Amino acid sequence: RRSAGKTGGCSPKMSNSLVASLLDGSRPTFLIGEVPPMEKTSPGQAQEICGKFIARARSMPCDGYIIYDIQDEEGRSESPRPFPFRRLMDPSGYASLVSKTAGKDCLVYKCVNDANFEEWLDTCEKVHGHRAINVVGRATATGPTVGPSMADAMAIVRKRTHLHFGCVCIAERHTPEYAATRGYAAPREHENMLRKQQAGAEWFISQAVYDAKPTIALLRDYAAACRERGMKPKKVVLTFTPVSRPKTLAFVKWLGVTVPKEAEEAILSEETNELRAEKSIDLLCACLDDVLDAAKVIDVPLGISVESVSIYKAEINAVHVLFAKLQQRILDAQGIKWTVQWNHVLLDKENQESKTKTTNTNTTVVFPPPPSSSDVKKTPHLPGETSPYVMAALGATIMALGILLGRKAF
């Protein structure tokens, strides 16, 4: 495992470092998004919910999990919120349960609109042991303002030795139409990314992608601006959200995601939830294909994150199918051979005792350093050869799912 630069935070027994993968531009990062349970959920119920999530998610070869900080976002849109807002558990506390249950690190989202922002950081870092957070701004410009500004929050986190942080990027803000509403002559979201990078952001997580064009434009401008300033682009993790119901699609749009009219019509024209989910999977795969094709000449490292914004079965199932399809595409785009395996993940001592000291069969993702150009020339990738570069490790159950194939590795 490559060094991430800073030390401390998560248990050293974790199978892989999420931070290391986010900082490694030579390989993609793979994440699964999840939201905490309701605010008044009891500890026992929260553990049960967490266990069910991990029981399903461990079959997906991801580097870790995103745990979101859900805000009310009143005033985001003139349209009514399709799903009612409900207050949820603190993301750091729930992420701690997820990490200890799964044996994998979590990337914890934190909105700056918190009067106890620094106290929250203390708990996140010193009590829950997290090393990676995503600092996000206030949900809307309206409403009460508490806590630090975005700039102050990034400065506060940057001073903490054991915490790494990233930020969000929103391709919908990188269009001529949006620029015009802000009085700008041209799109400027890439400038926001540069500002956050200079403030210490070490990666970016995108808003959900349904339209590849704004994302490609943002990546191109970000890469060009970095070259102009002599900066190295940070990794951009692209988020994808399958849908199966008109109400879920309306919610995705309410969140500010641009869904092209033809894509919306194609999804809603299907007769069942399962068929609509399949159609959204096909469209999102096509989006990633377009981004990857453009990325061949764009020097920005990429990753993927997949999430469900609802509790509907068809959409949760679609997350698993979509994750496998997107992962295969982005790995194939690397131009090297890869395989899928499974291995045992040992949990920390406290969790092992609660589990009567049994080991947990889980997923992990391992990426050794890529070969040099001379090594590639000396070792052509021939059909049937065994690649020395293991590109992913996957739970044994994935073979039964038929998503990807691998062989046991201990």
Side-chain angles (χ1 to χ4, degrees):
R1 187 175 71 183
R2 296 186 180 185
S3 172
K6 299 180 181 180
T7 60
C10 288
S11 167
K13 293 185 179 180
M14 293 288 181
S15 59
N16 276 297
S17 169
L18 173 57
V19 169
S21 75
L22 288 163
L23 301 185
D24 187 353
S26 69
R27 53 146 293 190
T29 295
F30 302 105
L31 302 172
I32 305 295
E34 176 68 335
V35 297
M38 298 294 185
E39 185 178 47
K40 295 183 179 180
T41 303
S42 70
Q45 290 174 323
Q47 181 62 72
E48 182 179 355
I49 293 169
C50 172
K52 290 179 179 179
F53 167 68
I54 295 302
R56 290 176 57 88
R58 67 182 176 182
S59 67
M60 294 185 283
C62 64
D63 292 290
Y65 306 103
I66 293 178
I67 306 299
Y68 290 102
D69 184 10
I70 305 301
Q71 301 294 307
D72 190 1
E73 302 185 86
E74 184 179 356
R76 168 183 280 277
S77 171
E78 295 180 357
S79 303
R81 199 179 198 272
F83 295 111
F85 171 73
R86 294 183 175 90
R87 296 195 179 280
L88 306 181
M89 284 180 61
D90 172 65
S92 180
Y94 185 65
S96 179
L97 282 180
V98 172
S99 292
K100 291 177 180 178
T101 303
K104 287 189 177 182
D105 301 345
C106 288
L107 170 59
V108 185
Y109 267 53
K110 180 57 182 175
C111 178
V112 301
N113 202 46
D114 184 347
N116 300 312
F117 183 77
E118 294 195 58
E119 289 81 356
W120 182 91
L121 289 177
D122 287 337
T123 302
C124 175
E125 176 186 358
K126 300 174 183 178
V127 178
H128 298 146
H130 299 303
R131 293 178 60 202
I133 68 172
N134 236 47
V135 181
V136 297
R138 292 172 176 81
T140 63
T142 61
T145 298
V146 296
S149 66
M150 186 66 183
D152 289 342
M154 290 188 290
I156 291 169
V157 180
R158 190 175 191 176
K159 293 178 181 178
R160 294 189 173 238
T161 305
H162 297 155
L163 274 182
H164 298 256
F165 79 92
C167 293
V168 299
C169 60
I170 302 177
E172 279 78 3
R173 294 177 180 174
H174 200 72
T175 65
E177 295 78 11
Y178 180 84
T181 65
R182 308 290 290 184
Y184 302 143
R188 297 179 59 179
E189 179 65 2
H190 66 292
E191 296 287 350
N192 289 333
M193 294 174 69
L194 287 174
R195 174 175 52 81
K196 293 173 181 177
Q197 182 174 336
Q198 290 171 330
E202 299 179 88
W203 61 79
F204 294 96
I205 311 290
S206 83
Q207 184 169 263
V209 177
Y210 262 89
D211 186 357
K213 292 180 180 178
T215 297
I216 293 170
L218 176 57
L219 293 175
R220 282 177 174 163
D221 287 344
Y222 173 55
C226 283
R227 283 195 298 271
E228 179 184 333
R229 291 164 174 79
M231 299 167 61
K232 186 176 181 179
K234 300 297 184 181
K235 182 175 289 183
V236 176
V237 178
L238 304 175
T239 302
F240 296 90
T241 305
V243 298
S244 70
R245 296 169 178 256
K247 192 172 184 179
T248 308
L249 184 58
F251 183 54
V252 168
K253 293 172 63 180
W254 184 87
L255 289 171
V257 178
T258 298
V259 181
K261 183 178 180 180
E262 57 271 20
E264 181 174 5
E265 291 176 348
I267 293 171
L268 297 182
S269 66
E270 300 292 344
E271 296 182 355
T272 67
N273 292 334
E274 289 71 20
L275 290 175
R276 286 191 286 267
E278 289 179 11
K279 178 61 67 174
S280 76
I281 289 171
D282 291 342
L283 291 169
L284 294 176
C285 286
C287 278
L288 180 61
D289 288 341
D290 290 342
V291 173
L292 292 175
D293 185 60
K296 294 175 182 178
V297 293
I298 302 175
D299 184 26
V300 177
L302 299 175
I304 61 168
S305 175
V306 182
E307 63 173 352
S308 172
V309 296
S310 80
I311 59 173
Y312 297 127
K313 182 178 180 180
E315 291 165 355
I316 294 174
N317 290 339
V319 165
H320 290 248
V321 177
L322 178 61
F323 181 89
K325 288 178 177 289
L326 297 181
Q327 185 172 64
Q328 182 170 355
R329 280 167 161 77
I330 199 169
L331 286 175
D332 286 345
Q334 300 293 300
I336 54 180
K337 297 192 73 174
W338 56 280
T339 188
V340 175
Q341 298 178 330
W342 69 269
N343 63 350
H344 287 168
V345 176
L346 296 178
L347 304 181
D348 60 46
K349 181 177 179 181
E350 178 183 356
N351 199 39
Q352 289 238 14
E353 291 175 350
S354 70
K355 296 291 184 179
T356 63
K357 297 187 178 181
T358 58
T359 58
N360 181 29
T361 301
N362 207 330
T363 64
T364 184
V365 179
V366 180
F367 283 81
S372 65
S373 58
S374 60
D375 290 336
V376 172
K377 292 178 182 178
K378 293 177 182 178
T379 313
H381 297 306
L382 300 176
E385 74 170 317
T386 301
S387 170
Y389 303 101
V390 179
M391 295 304 294
L394 176 61
T397 52
I398 203 69
M399 292 184 286
L401 292 174
I403 298 174
L404 293 170
L405 296 179
R407 61 184 181 182
K408 293 183 180 179
F410 294 87

